[in-house]
Amino acid sequence: MFKKITTILLLTMSFFGIAHEEAHHSNEAQIKHIISQIDYGWENGDGKPFRKHFLDFKGARYIESGGQNVGLDDLVEHHVEPEKDALAFLDIDYNNIDVHIEGDFAWALADTVVKGEVRKSGKKFDKTGFQTFLFKRVDDEWKVIHTHSSSRNRAKK
């Protein structure tokens, strides 16, 4: 009898461990997908991914290399969308994305490479740095609640 109970307990624990691991990978995949959508939004001056994946709330702030946008409308209307017209091109790569999940809160860290060309002056930029995304799970969906990026000119070799 004791052997059966032990076997059942071990199988149950194994099942929950596997289920927990699968849920973690699913959440991580969802977060990485959101980051890829944000990348698309930046590169194309498209605010739709931001409006879909960011939680719009009073006090939201998004920090970009020393500047900040207060609220989702400010980010989209005064940063993301205008860059489409101001830049001849923008290429952002998020690499080495490291996701951490604690219940309904998560954060992701990424290395960044940002390249572009200012349309008006023709000036090109090539920067490297880091990005932090904070997420909150709301109604079973991950939402970005804060971002912070910092970059500088790529070191010359």
Side-chain angles (χ1 to χ4, degrees), residues 50-64:
F50 295 85
R51 296 206 185 278
K52 178 177 180 181
H53 297 295
F54 279 53
L55 183 63
D56 192 12
F57 64 98
K58 185 177 179 169
R61 296 184 343 170
Y62 310 102
I63 300 173
E64 302 287 331

Side-chain angles (χ1 to χ4, degrees), residues 54-157:
F54 279 53
L55 183 63
D56 192 12
F57 64 98
K58 185 177 179 169
R61 296 184 343 170
Y62 310 102
I63 300 173
E64 302 287 331
S65 294
Q68 76 172 326
N69 293 99
V70 178
L72 185 56
D73 285 341
D74 187 33
L75 176 67
V76 171
E77 295 169 8
H78 298 119
H79 199 123
V80 175
E81 292 175 344
E83 287 188 359
K84 182 177 183 178
D85 295 327
L87 300 176
F89 77 91
L90 177 64
D91 181 39
I92 299 178
D93 291 318
Y94 296 116
N95 302 302
N96 301 318
I97 299 170
D98 189 15
V99 177
H100 302 270
I101 300 167
E102 295 289 335
D104 289 336
F105 179 76
W107 64 98
L109 309 169
D111 299 341
T112 59
V113 176
V114 182
K115 296 179 183 181
E117 180 181 341
V118 179
R119 189 179 306 280
K120 195 173 189 177
S121 67
K123 182 180 177 184
K124 293 183 179 178
F125 54 89
D126 183 1
K127 298 177 176 280
T128 60
F130 303 96
Q131 176 84 35
T132 303
F133 299 92
L134 302 183
F135 295 85
K136 179 179 179 180
R137 189 178 5 230
V138 178
D139 298 329
D140 268 348
E141 288 187 47
W142 288 105
K143 297 289 186 177
V144 176
I145 58 172
H146 179 74
T147 62
H148 188 136
S149 74
S150 181
S151 63
R152 58 180 142 202
N153 291 331
R154 186 186 294 265
K156 297 185 192 236
K157 294 179 182 179

